[in-house]
Amino acid sequence: VDCQELNEALCKKASTCVQLLLDIIVERNLDRNHRLKKNFENTVNKISKRPTNEHELVDLEGALDSFRATEHQALLEEFLEIKAWQNLIFDCGVLVVG
């Protein structure tokens, strides 16, 4: 039995599947990157405001404490995970534009 045509068809389908998966990974990674950037921007905006009264100062100190205690580590972990996926994408030879 000559399976060359079958093998070629299966290879073509496998390549199509790989490309679809990579496209989805790229799209999700870009979305995660945009959300992470927005979270950093929101944090910077929150902690860069100068307090004009005691209540605002207490809110700022609370925001800083929260950032130091949990948010910074969570954002860093998200960044490292995005970076790992990006490295996988680059290793697969995908050019990311966006």
Side-chain angles (χ1 to χ4, degrees):
V1 176
D2 184 19
C3 295
Q4 183 176 353
E5 288 181 28
L6 181 59
N7 282 341
E8 289 173 2
L10 288 174
C11 286
K12 185 176 180 182
K13 292 288 184 186
S15 292
T16 301
C17 288
V18 167
Q19 190 57 52
L20 288 171
L21 286 171
L22 285 172
D23 290 346
I24 290 169
I25 291 170
V26 167
E27 183 180 328
R28 287 187 179 177
N29 212 45
L30 284 171
D31 182 54
R32 288 176 71 185
N33 190 47
H34 290 298
R35 280 186 280 131
L36 179 65
K37 180 180 178 251
K38 192 67 167 168
N39 285 339
F40 268 112
E41 288 172 348
N42 289 339
T43 300
V44 167
N45 288 336
K46 190 181 349 178
I47 63 176
S48 65
K49 292 180 182 174
R50 290 187 176 228
T52 58
N53 58 45
E54 291 175 0
H55 184 270
E56 289 179 1
L57 179 60
V58 170
D59 288 345
L60 176 61
E61 289 174 345
L64 283 170
D65 290 342
S66 173
F67 179 75
R68 289 181 184 130
T70 58
E71 293 173 32
H72 179 258
Q73 186 62 36
L75 292 172
L76 181 59
E77 288 171 4
E78 178 71 4
F79 167 76
L80 292 173
E81 191 170 326
I82 289 169
K83 185 179 175 190
W85 280 106
Q86 193 65 43
N87 287 336
L88 171 76
I89 292 165
F90 288 153
D91 288 345
C92 291
V94 177
L95 177 62
V96 179
V97 180

